Amino acid sequence: MEKKWYYAILVIFTTCGFSFSSWISRTPELRDALHASTGTMGIILLGLSMGSILGLVLSNIFVRARGGRFAIITSAFFYVQWFHRAFGRGADR
């Protein structure tokens, strides 16, 4: 049973790493689309990093208060909503 968890976590972290690396390589294109300076992009990336750290800290509190199942369902709901808003109108552009 422990090997299954090991491989599941390995796949999840690998997938997250590939998705982040494919996004981060497009930051110059994003900078041009936003007409932002290099300094502004630095602040945006700093905000993303700080948001990740804050999410890690607050998720522990949330899971302890509401339970793991509720936290996973809530996270999945908001992720699907974000994904739909971010990419749902892609065909219209």
Side-chain angles (χ1 to χ4, degrees):
M1 185 72 159
E2 291 179 14
K3 280 287 194 188
K4 289 181 182 179
W5 280 107
Y6 172 78
Y7 289 124
I9 292 171
L10 184 68
V11 167
I12 289 170
F13 274 88
T14 303
T15 304
C16 289
F18 278 121
S19 66
F20 187 73
S21 66
S22 67
W23 177 85
I24 205 74
S25 66
R26 295 183 175 266
T27 53
E29 182 181 332
L30 179 66
R31 183 191 66 219
D32 295 341
L34 294 174
H35 305 292
S37 67
T38 306
T40 304
M41 286 303 294
I43 291 172
I44 290 170
L45 292 174
L46 176 66
L48 289 171
S49 300
M50 290 173 60
S52 295
I53 299 296
L54 184 65
L56 287 171
V57 171
L58 293 179
S59 66
N60 183 27
I61 297 168
F62 186 67
V63 168
R64 286 181 186 228
R66 301 300 301 256
R69 180 181 297 250
F70 183 79
I72 290 171
I73 291 171
T74 304
S75 300
F77 174 76
F78 284 116
Y79 182 75
V80 168
Q81 293 299 317
W82 171 84
F83 189 81
H84 175 67
R85 289 177 194 255
F87 301 108
R89 293 179 238 134
D92 297 334
R93 293 180 189 170

